[in-house]
Amino acid sequence: MKCFFVIKKSIPFLIALMFLSCATRKDLVYYQNIDGLKAKENSNSYEIKIQPDDLLTIIVSADDPETAIPFNLSTVTATNLNVARGLETIQSYLVDAQGTIDFPVLGKIKVSGLTRSEVLQLFQEKIEKYIKNPVVNLRIMNFKVSVQGEVNLPGTYSIASERITLIEALTLAKDLTIYGKRNNILIIRDIDGVKSYNRVDITKANFINSPFYYLAQNDVVYVEPNQSRINASVVGPNTGVIISISSLLITLVTVIYTITK
């Protein structure tokens, strides 16, 4: 009978423990205090920088198309010349370890460390020496980011726009799970072979003005598990079953104690 009394006395404690373990609003809600946030004027002017191993497509055009031909290497993807005219693909340029590409007519050009706008201006100035009114288009073909950890769909995502925010990347991964730690998201960034490790708290609205709000190509986003997930992994996968059985036993003991009282 004494054990019945002990179990009955422990029920309020167990209930209290359940409530204490619940997450609070500040642990889960994004953009807290955003109403009082002053956005930086230049927050939308972010441009990524070209890095080694980037794959670039560069197309040069001009008022006289014939003059631009030497600046556009192309590969024919069909052997039938009558068909090949509509199947030519512009060749891509891989930025080497020294940050340069070998461009037709112009030769070796260093592009690593420059923004897309700076590269376009550089090519514009160089090509103007050869042709009149050139138009240069540039695109990074292998822009991608990776999202790992406590998200619903981890993976590597190719980005067509060459510009993506941290929130957009997390959205591609179907958002964080309930076990994801929202105030300590790790962003691993590689710039010219040097890795940096940065933490972002998306529960605070001012992360919008962070230099890591916009992601760079090849960034890795890691969402670490919260304490609840860590505790569950220590106990094991049968935690839910154990809790259910324990709850049932407590209920049965309480009922028996009440009847026999």
Side-chain angles (χ1 to χ4, degrees):
M1 194 67 69
K2 184 178 179 181
C3 67
F4 292 162
F5 177 77
V6 172
I7 294 174
K8 185 177 180 180
K9 280 288 188 180
S10 62
I11 291 175
F13 170 76
L14 293 173
I15 295 174
L17 185 62
M18 288 174 61
F19 278 102
L20 286 174
S21 64
C22 293
T24 62
R25 179 182 183 276
K26 69 177 183 179
D27 296 322
L28 297 176
V29 177
Y30 302 170
Y31 317 115
Q32 294 174 36
N33 304 320
I34 194 170
D35 292 334
L37 178 69
K38 292 183 179 179
K40 292 182 179 179
E41 292 182 359
N42 63 346
S43 61
N44 291 324
S45 61
Y46 173 81
E47 275 195 280
I48 61 171
K49 293 185 177 181
I50 307 300
Q51 301 178 15
D53 295 327
D54 280 349
L55 192 63
L56 310 179
T57 293
I58 303 174
I59 301 174
V60 179
S61 57
D63 294 339
D64 182 359
E66 294 293 327
T67 61
I69 290 178
F71 298 92
N72 292 306
L73 290 181
S74 62
T75 57
V76 178
T77 60
T79 56
N80 187 322
L81 294 180
N82 292 327
V83 179
R85 293 179 180 178
L87 295 177
E88 290 190 18
T89 58
I90 300 300
Q91 189 175 36
S92 297
Y93 303 89
L94 181 66
V95 183
D96 63 22
Q98 288 71 45
T100 66
I101 61 172
D102 194 357
F103 198 77
V105 181
L106 303 181
K108 289 276 188 180
I109 298 180
K110 185 173 179 60
V111 294
S112 179
L114 301 178
T115 65
R116 183 175 180 276
S117 296
E118 290 170 338
V119 173
L120 289 175
Q121 182 178 355
L122 175 64
F123 273 82
Q124 187 85 18
E125 292 173 353
K126 288 182 175 294
I127 295 173
E128 278 180 347
K129 298 176 182 178
Y130 299 90
I131 61 179
K132 186 178 181 181
N133 298 326
V135 176
V136 183
N137 290 296
L138 180 151
R139 181 178 176 185
I140 301 176
M141 302 302 294
N142 60 341
F143 190 111
K144 62 183 184 297
V145 297
S146 298
V147 186
Q148 303 174 328
E150 286 295 334
V151 292
N152 288 296
L153 192 63
T156 298
Y157 297 92
S158 297
I159 311 301
S161 65
E162 301 177 8
R163 177 174 164 131
I164 185 173
T165 67
L166 172 58
I167 291 300
E168 288 171 336
L170 293 174
T171 301
L172 287 174
K174 306 302 181 185
D175 207 356
L176 281 69
T177 69
I178 197 68
Y179 300 106
K181 204 168 184 180
R182 288 154 170 77
N183 62 353
N184 198 32
I185 295 177
L186 174 65
I187 299 177
I188 303 173
R189 180 167 295 177
D190 191 322
I191 301 177
D192 294 330
V194 179
K195 286 184 171 57
S196 64
Y197 307 93
N198 316 278
R199 304 280 179 172
V200 175
D201 181 356
I202 62 174
T203 67
K204 299 294 188 294
N206 61 1
F207 90 92
I208 292 175
N209 293 328
S210 162
F212 303 100
Y213 175 67
Y214 286 101
L215 299 180
Q217 64 271 46
N218 303 315
D219 274 0
V220 175
V221 179
Y222 174 68
V223 180
E224 66 178 278
N226 59 22
Q227 196 60 46
S228 296
R229 173 64 86 185
I230 294 172
N231 292 342
S233 66
V234 173
V235 175
N238 296 321
T239 304
V241 177
I242 295 172
I243 292 175
S244 298
I245 293 174
S246 300
S247 177
L248 179 60
L249 288 175
I250 291 173
T251 302
L252 289 174
V253 170
T254 303
V255 171
I256 293 172
Y257 174 74
T258 303
I259 294 173
T260 57
K261 182 177 178 183

